[in-house]
Amino acid sequence: MARIVVVGAGMGGLAVAARLAVKRHEVTLCERSGGHGGMLGSFRRGGFAFTSGATVLTLPAVYRDLFLKTGAALEECVDLVGVDPTTRCSFDRGATVVDVPNATRAGAAAAFDGAFGSGAGADWNRFMDRGAAMWGVMRTGFFEVPSEPAKPRRATGGFKDFRTTMPWRTLRPLARSYLRDPRLRMHAERFALGAGLDPRQAPATVAVLPYLEQTFGLWTVRGGLHLIADALFERCLERGVKFLAHTEVAEVSAPGGTVDGVVLADGSRIDADAVVADGCGDALAVGGAAAPRAKSGTERASGYAELHLALRGRTPEQPYRTYLFPDDPAAEAEALFGADGRPPADPTLCVTAPGDDGSAPEGDEAWTVHVRVPPHGSGGERGTVDWDAPGVREQYAETVVDALARRGLPVADRLRWSELRTPADVERATGAPGGRVAASPVSGGRPNRSKTAGLYEVGAGAHPGGGLIGVGMGAALVAELIGR
């Protein structure tokens, strides 16, 4: 039995702590804030409740495996429900609307044919065939293999696999080679944008993400996806994990290059045989000096904002998730990833409307509008926005509400109140630099095992990357590494 300190109670930290506790290790979980869940949280005000961060789950098998192997089935802890349609896509200010059904290839093809004309569905199926081929290579050669500094990850096992994953190619030309309709290409590229990646430079392997969503379905939890974080936290406590809230780790002690504990911000110490950093490995000092870690890609990701809307009345037949696409996607990408750094004036909007799940007083509804924006930076850093500057928050909330109206979802006359959560708020709550979006799981991350013996990493900045899929898989890989 080893003494293990996990730094950070995000989803990666919670998952690895639970897995290690089941292996009978002595696990201490240190969290600098008073909460848990990291990017996945909740916000409540005046009888309205909102989930912060992710609102949907793809590939639920990752979390079914986690919960089953740590004590009880996922469905015994939360009410997991399918999202159907997975997405309502609205183009040209509502002139073209398509509902993409959940987990049916034939249904998705028929929906695209109906919206964009005959042949669009066949184009999409060919694109999905490419995503399926990539997943076949990456599942066993990338996602299920831990990353170590002396052995760089390789998602390819030969020339055939190299051609399948196309590491030399980006998503945009790949999508154009399969998808003739520009609206269908926007739908494909929104998976890159949603993962915080520049759609002009995102790797071709982003095609795996729509394939996973269409094949394994899209899921959420009745009452909010943050309830998974709550259930996992309870699982940690049940398995004997010692949780230390408001406990900041200042340094990993590693004399001679081998971990022997951590030093806390107050100067006290916790002895340990191993340390697992949840998404903060590049920020932790090791032996008095910052650890030399490979870049994860997260430092180049966009930030994200959430506008929580408390609305009077209910919207008939409003689906759980709606994407409202901009008139000029190129202008949005330049605003997000250009050198100037400015909030997009005409952004892609993702509207989450949970419906009648207890998130709002009877007869009302709680919507969250998700927007990708430049990360926070108060010192004039390149490509950032000072979201704490006077008037910036209020002005952008108005921009989003105006954009909703232009695209056919006016809410101003129904608005009881709104609350904008900016990248600055995300940074303060989670410690994520600049409030950046967790990088896509297909873009990898820092090695799971560091060059310092006994120091490991999970979470958004580590292999196999961010998002609930990557974080869950990474925790399993690190638990197995430590258990060897």
Side-chain angles (χ1 to χ4, degrees):
M1 182 177 72
R3 300 164 301 172
I4 300 170
V5 172
V6 178
V7 184
M11 290 300 289
L14 293 172
V16 77
R19 286 185 179 274
L20 290 170
V22 166
K23 294 177 180 286
R24 300 188 181 280
H25 295 296
E26 182 183 315
V27 183
T28 301
L29 181 56
C30 298
E31 168 56 42
R32 70 181 186 90
S33 74
H36 58 267
M39 290 283 191
L40 186 58
S42 61
F43 171 73
R44 296 177 180 276
R45 176 179 159 189
F48 292 83
F50 308 85
T51 293
S52 294
T55 58
V56 292
L57 178 66
T58 311
L59 205 63
V62 172
Y63 283 85
R64 287 192 173 110
D65 177 75
L66 168 62
F67 274 78
L68 195 60
K69 289 183 178 176
T70 57
L74 176 63
E75 283 82 356
E76 293 180 24
C77 304
V78 296
D79 187 5
L80 197 66
V81 294
V83 176
D84 198 7
T86 58
T87 311
R88 171 170 290 173
C89 297
S90 177
F91 303 91
D92 306 322
R93 302 195 178 196
T96 303
V97 176
V98 53
D99 286 346
V100 184
N102 196 8
T104 163
R105 185 162 182 156
F112 291 135
D113 277 340
F116 306 134
S118 179
D123 287 352
W124 183 255
N125 277 340
R126 285 190 291 270
F127 185 60
M128 289 298 93
D129 287 341
R130 172 59 68 178
M134 289 177 169
W135 174 246
V137 172
M138 297 180 69
R139 183 178 65 83
T140 57
F142 178 84
F143 283 101
E144 297 177 357
V145 180
S147 174
E148 306 192 32
K151 299 177 181 178
R153 298 177 314 281
R154 294 193 182 276
T156 57
F159 183 66
K160 180 180 178 181
D161 289 351
F162 184 78
R163 290 190 62 184
T164 298
T165 56
M166 299 185 293
W168 69 89
R169 202 170 190 186
T170 57
L171 177 66
R172 176 159 289 180
L174 177 70
R176 285 178 175 173
S177 68
Y178 284 95
L179 308 173
R180 289 169 290 180
D181 193 289
R183 294 163 296 185
L184 202 52
R185 294 197 295 268
M186 274 197 282
H187 173 59
E189 289 187 1
R190 63 100 172 158
F191 287 89
L193 193 65
L197 302 175
D198 186 341
R200 302 168 299 183
Q201 300 177 8
T205 46
V206 168
V208 165
L209 301 180
Y211 166 76
L212 292 177
E213 181 175 299
Q214 182 169 296
T215 303
F216 298 101
L218 203 65
W219 304 79
T220 190
V221 170
R222 197 177 304 280
L225 200 65
H226 64 276
L227 295 178
I228 286 185
D230 294 344
L232 189 52
F233 178 69
E234 291 300 322
R235 181 62 49 84
C236 286
L237 299 183
E238 291 168 3
R239 294 293 168 263
V241 174
K242 184 179 181 181
F243 178 64
L244 301 180
H246 303 292
T247 302
E248 183 174 357
V249 173
E251 179 183 334
V252 177
S253 176
T258 300
V259 165
D260 71 354
V262 297
V263 179
L264 304 182
D266 64 5
S268 62
R269 173 187 170 89
I270 302 175
D271 293 333
D273 302 303
V275 172
V276 183
D278 177 14
C280 58
D282 59 338
L284 277 179
V286 180
R293 307 302 299 276
K295 290 184 177 181
S296 68
T298 302
E299 64 279 349
R300 297 185 300 275
S302 69
Y304 78 94
E306 299 171 337
L307 182 62
H308 301 305
L309 300 171
L311 301 177
R312 299 182 185 87
R314 305 194 64 83
T315 308
E317 300 181 359
Q318 179 68 25
Y320 181 81
R321 191 173 68 157
T322 301
Y323 268 87
L324 304 170
F325 290 93
D327 297 331
D328 187 357
E332 178 183 30
E334 182 58 32
L336 280 173
F337 302 100
D340 293 343
R342 61 185 186 279
D346 187 28
T348 299
L349 304 179
C350 177
V351 180
T352 302
D356 188 17
D357 69 343
S359 60
E362 186 175 356
D364 289 347
E365 56 188 348
W367 286 10
T368 298
V369 185
H370 306 263
V371 193
R372 297 312 181 228
V373 295
H376 174 64
S378 57
E381 298 94 333
R382 177 186 174 100
T384 65
V385 169
D386 184 357
W387 286 97
D388 287 336
V392 173
R393 179 190 304 265
E394 294 77 11
Q395 182 177 351
Y396 203 63
E398 292 179 7
T399 295
V400 173
V401 171
D402 290 344
L404 285 171
R406 288 197 308 273
R407 299 180 202 170
L409 283 181
V411 296
D413 60 343
R414 301 172 51 204
L415 192 59
R416 292 188 181 277
W417 53 265
S418 67
E419 182 83 21
L420 182 68
R421 186 178 189 232
T422 73
D425 299 320
V426 174
E427 182 178 57
R428 283 188 285 268
T430 69
R436 286 174 170 84
V437 176
S440 166
V442 299
S443 62
R446 291 182 292 271
N448 301 121
R449 191 201 303 265
S450 82
K451 293 180 180 179
T452 303
L455 178 60
Y456 304 84
E457 187 167 0
V458 297
H463 170 73
L468 289 177
I469 300 174
V471 166
M473 288 184 166
L477 294 176
V478 169
E480 289 300 319
L481 279 174
I482 293 177
R484 291 176 183 174

